[in-house]
Each structure stands twice: as structure tokens, then as C-alpha cells.
Amino acid sequence: MGTSVLSLRIDGELLERLRIHAAKRGMSVQDYVIRTLIRDDFDERFQTAVDETEKFYGVT
């Protein structure tokens, strides 16, 4: 698996908020954003799996 570069243009206020959140966790802004993206993706996939399992078993 290779790597790629992602470039974002965000306003100063949002960047400052990201810096604050990252600093609270002792992380760089880049690491914080990546961890957040990974976490959100996992949560969505996990919830979809739970929903499909409940449909399969007639729970919902």
C-alpha cells in the first residue's frame, strides 16, 4: 500500500479550533485529523453492520 498527499484549504478559525483539540491530546493537527477520520469511518461501518444484523434477525 502506497501513500498519498491530501492538501486542505480551511479558514483560520477552523484551523485554530483543530490546533486546540489536537494540543489537548498532545497531537499534531495532521495526526488529530487522520485519527478523527479513521474513527468516524469505523463508527459508520460498525453502525451499518449492526443495523444489517438487526434487520437480518428481525430486531428492528
Side-chain angles (χ1 to χ4, degrees), residues 38-55:
I38 292 168
R39 187 196 70 226
D40 288 343
D41 183 47
F42 173 78
D43 290 345
E44 290 171 8
R45 288 185 289 143
F46 181 76
Q47 187 60 53
T48 300
V50 169
D51 292 344
E52 292 298 320
T53 301
E54 288 178 347
K55 283 182 200 173

Side-chain angles (χ1 to χ4, degrees), residues 1-2 7-8 10 16-17 23 25 30 36 41 46 58-60:
M1 181 166 83
S7 177
L8 300 172
I10 58 175
E16 186 57 29
R17 288 173 40 204
R25 291 158 182 81
Q30 293 86 347
T36 301
D41 183 47
F46 181 76
V59 175
T60 58

Side-chain angles (χ1 to χ4, degrees), residues 7 17 21 24 28 34 38:
S7 177
R17 288 173 40 204
H21 286 287
K24 288 179 183 178
S28 69
I34 294 301
I38 292 168

